[in-house]
């Protein structure tokens, strides 16, 4: 892609013109645009990852001049991109100095946008760089402190016009994620996605299981001729398994044992949990117990899906 003066349109090499402010494709007021900048090591990447997990379309290290064209391709409705976050910082080198003018152009285009500026104190930035062992992008032949100071001078005009300045000095990665989710994206708490998965031990434990429970202590319907060809989804098999002494109490107790742990996952921003329940072949006992445990978890207020890994296998 080539860039020319402000009087000429930006063009791809193929000659396709990019959208100009004077020729909007559609109303941009329904779109959301976040421009993320600030000090290197202050949490820009962590913020970008948090937004990506919230289903924002995120681009890291974007040259500022590309932003108006990118915004022009957003779609306020449907399946297109309508929440865009871009990280623009001094890694863009000479391109970075045009960011203020690019933001003014977005305003002229009628595109609502927010500039987020991330910072931290010098001691914290030094510690983070020493931990990562990466060079500062503006360090050159000088010291790390020299690079931090040079970047601060370059970013001073942007800090003054930022919509929000976020100091991450006392934040860890989880604190930053919560701030992005709750304050910046205004998402609030997202539900935990729980999967209860039945399986057969003879084919191995699911690799992504967070918790595994063995229900082979229950009598096996496989040895009952009229039940062998059925599965734990059939009422006759479910009754046979769950009507055994202590079976329902075990399943209910297991769900109650999991509940505070699952709530803790929410606190620690864990988005998914898989509970694997196994028997020998994964067709009778584990299936019936998985369905019942899922019902108990739903009774406890959780959203649960059930997967039967080994049903349909020989």
């Amino acid at each position: 892609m080539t860039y020319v003066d402000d009087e000429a349109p930006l063009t791809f090499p193929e000659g396709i013109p990019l959208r100009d402010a004077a020729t909007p494709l559609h109303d941009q007021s329904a779109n959301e645009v976040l421009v993320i900048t600030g000090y290197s090591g202050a949490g820009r990447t962590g913020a970008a990852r948090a937004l990506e997990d919230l289903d924002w379309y995120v681009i890291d290290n974007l040259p500022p001049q590309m932003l108006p064209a990118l915004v022009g391709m957003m779609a306020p409705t449907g399946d297109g991109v309508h929440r865009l976050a871009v990280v623009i910082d001094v890694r863009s080198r000479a391109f970075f100095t045009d960011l203020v003018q690019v933001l003014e152009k977005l305003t002229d285009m009628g595109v609502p946008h927010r500039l987020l500026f991330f910072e931290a104190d010098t001691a914290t930035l030094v510690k983070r760089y020493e931990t990562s062992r990466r060079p500062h992008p503006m360090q050159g032949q000088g010291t790390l402190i020299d690079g931090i100071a040079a970047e601060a001078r370059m970013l001073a005009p942007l800090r003054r016009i930022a919509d929000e300045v976020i100091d991450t000095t006392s934040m860890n990665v989880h604190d930053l994620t919560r701030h992005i989710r709750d304050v910046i994206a205004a998402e609030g708490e997202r539900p935990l996605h729980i999967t209860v998965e039945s399986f057969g031990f003879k084919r191995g434990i699911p690799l992504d299981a967070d918790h595994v429970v063995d229900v082979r202590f229950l009598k096996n319907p496989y040895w009952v001729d009229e039940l062998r060809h059925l599965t734990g989804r059939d009422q006759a098999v479910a009754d046979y398994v769950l009507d055994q002494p202590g079976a329902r109490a075990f399943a209910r107790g297991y769900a109650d044992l999991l509940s505070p742990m699952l709530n803790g996952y929410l606190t620690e921003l864990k988005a998914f949990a898989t509970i694997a329940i196994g028997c020998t072949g994964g067709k009778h006992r584990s299936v019936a117990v998985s369905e019942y445990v899922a019902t108990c978890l739903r009774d406890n207020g959780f959203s649960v899906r059930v997967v039967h890994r080994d049903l349909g296998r020989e």
Side-chain angles (χ1 to χ4, degrees):
M1 183 178 290
T2 58
Y3 303 97
V4 293
D5 61 70
D6 292 338
E7 300 301 322
L10 300 175
T11 59
F12 288 106
E14 296 84 356
I16 301 175
L18 301 180
R19 187 175 71 84
D20 185 77
T23 56
L25 293 179
H26 50 248
D27 179 14
Q28 292 285 342
S29 61
N31 293 328
E32 297 180 75
V33 178
L34 290 179
V35 179
I36 297 170
T37 192
Y39 300 159
S40 302
R44 299 178 316 234
T45 300
R49 289 173 179 165
L51 287 165
E52 194 167 42
D53 290 342
L54 295 172
D55 301 323
W56 285 66
Y57 189 83
V58 179
I59 300 178
D60 191 16
N61 197 17
L62 182 77
Q65 295 91 336
M66 296 180 65
L67 183 56
L70 192 62
V71 168
M73 293 184 286
M74 295 174 68
T77 59
D79 296 330
V81 175
H82 56 91
R83 297 199 301 178
L84 173 68
V86 296
V87 180
I88 301 176
D89 52 63
V90 296
R91 290 174 296 169
S92 299
R93 306 296 179 182
F95 296 130
F96 183 70
T97 57
D98 295 332
L99 180 54
V100 173
Q101 289 74 23
V102 169
L103 294 175
E104 292 173 352
K105 185 171 183 179
L106 291 185
T107 300
D108 294 339
M109 293 166 59
V111 179
H113 59 278
R114 286 183 287 164
L115 177 63
L116 309 181
F117 190 97
F118 287 81
E119 66 178 12
D121 64 32
T122 300
T124 299
L125 295 176
V126 169
K127 183 177 179 181
R128 290 174 182 173
Y129 264 96
E130 288 179 344
T131 300
S132 69
R133 299 185 178 181
R134 298 191 66 193
H136 191 281
M138 296 193 69
Q139 184 172 341
Q141 299 301 313
T143 66
L144 176 57
I145 295 293
D146 293 335
I148 292 173
E151 184 179 46
R153 289 191 296 271
M154 176 178 281
L155 294 176
L158 286 170
R159 190 186 187 283
R160 287 194 292 269
I161 65 171
D163 295 288
E164 181 163 354
V165 177
I166 302 167
D167 188 340
T168 66
T169 299
S170 60
M171 292 185 184
N172 60 34
V173 63
H174 299 301
D175 295 331
L176 177 58
T177 299
R178 290 188 189 94
H179 185 83
I180 295 298
R181 183 191 66 188
D182 300 339
V183 179
I184 303 303
E187 287 279 345
E189 190 171 272
R190 283 197 158 195
L192 177 67
H193 299 279
I194 301 171
T195 299
V196 176
E197 180 176 3
S198 69
F199 72 97
F201 277 98
K202 70 180 184 180
R203 290 189 171 87
I205 297 173
L207 293 176
D208 59 348
D210 296 290
H211 302 273
V212 178
V213 64
D214 183 354
V215 296
R216 289 176 293 185
F217 67 92
L218 298 170
K219 291 181 180 179
N220 193 348
Y222 179 84
W223 302 114
V224 180
D225 289 341
E226 59 268 29
L227 300 180
R228 181 175 301 165
H229 67 287
L230 301 176
T231 75
R233 281 178 160 175
D234 294 299
Q235 192 61 48
V237 173
D239 289 343
Y240 180 89
V241 172
L242 295 171
D243 286 347
Q244 295 180 39
R248 291 183 194 274
F250 168 80
R252 169 63 69 179
Y254 183 57
D256 290 342
L257 179 67
L258 286 170
S259 292
M261 194 178 306
L262 296 173
N263 284 321
Y265 284 165
L266 282 173
T267 302
E268 289 303 306
L269 304 177
K270 182 176 173 64
F272 299 90
T274 299
I275 300 156
I277 299 176
C279 62
T280 302
K283 299 181 185 299
H284 297 99
R285 292 167 290 180
S286 63
V287 173
V289 174
S290 292
E291 294 285 354
Y292 189 69
V293 167
T295 297
C296 295
L297 288 172
R298 293 186 187 109
D299 291 343
N300 290 350
F302 295 100
S303 176
V304 184
R305 74 175 187 128
V306 183
V307 174
H308 301 300
R309 189 191 71 179
D310 295 332
L311 281 187
R313 292 185 177 184
E314 295 297 330

